[in-house]
Amino acid sequence: MNVVDSSGWLEYFSGSDRAGLFAKAIEDVDSLLVPSLSIFEVFKKIYKERGEDLAIKAVAHMQIGTVIELDSRIAIYAAKLSVEYSIPMADSIIYSTSQLNGAVLWTQDNDFRGLQGVKFFEKKS
């Protein structure tokens, strides 16, 4: 099972030179878990920068995977991870979703560097 961090989805949808790093996880829809928070983050960013039509198309694509809703079990585990690893709320929710579902988190976000169950792609400065 795989979870793609919001930054990976945004790279994929933009067709950037980093899109290919996340394509394998995104295109394997049978193994793709999508935290509902990622839908929020991706929709918000695309809506703000490119408009509602593209934002709706992007989140429709995301929902081809299995959407995992934020529930109390994920929220409580996320709070513990946020304290333990000093990671922001949104990142801790996405990470806890992947951990509680036995998934690998694909990301380029430094907040996840070195954490168990993370496939991390270094961003060049």
Side-chain angles (χ1 to χ4, degrees):
M1 301 308 285
N2 297 300
V3 170
V4 177
D5 184 37
S6 302
S7 67
W9 281 104
L10 291 167
E11 295 284 1
Y12 182 80
F13 289 136
S14 73
S16 77
D17 59 346
R18 298 181 64 79
L21 297 173
F22 302 98
K24 180 179 178 183
I26 289 171
E27 293 169 4
D28 182 7
V29 295
D30 292 333
S31 298
L32 181 62
L33 304 177
V34 182
S36 57
L37 183 61
S38 294
I39 293 172
F40 169 88
E41 289 183 320
V42 170
F43 184 91
K44 180 181 175 184
K45 177 86 169 164
I46 295 174
Y47 175 73
K48 181 178 178 182
E49 294 180 0
R50 309 272 318 271
E52 188 170 4
D53 287 345
L54 283 175
I56 289 170
K57 288 176 185 172
V59 299
H61 183 86
M62 294 173 77
Q63 292 175 78
I64 293 171
T66 301
V67 176
I68 306 296
E69 301 294 339
L70 176 59
D71 60 18
S72 58
R73 181 179 73 114
I74 293 170
I76 291 166
Y77 190 55
K80 290 171 64 177
L81 292 174
S82 181
V83 170
E84 185 175 336
Y85 296 113
S86 298
I87 54 179
M89 178 191 70
D91 290 343
S92 66
I93 290 169
I94 291 169
Y95 183 54
S96 67
T97 301
S98 69
Q99 289 290 287
L100 289 171
N101 287 281
V104 173
L105 176 61
W106 295 55
T107 187
Q108 60 186 358
D109 185 329
N110 279 322
D111 288 326
F112 301 112
R113 179 192 299 272
L115 296 180
Q116 179 181 354
V118 172
K119 186 171 183 79
F120 178 77
F121 299 103
E122 183 78 41
K123 276 184 122 174
K124 305 289 187 246
S125 347

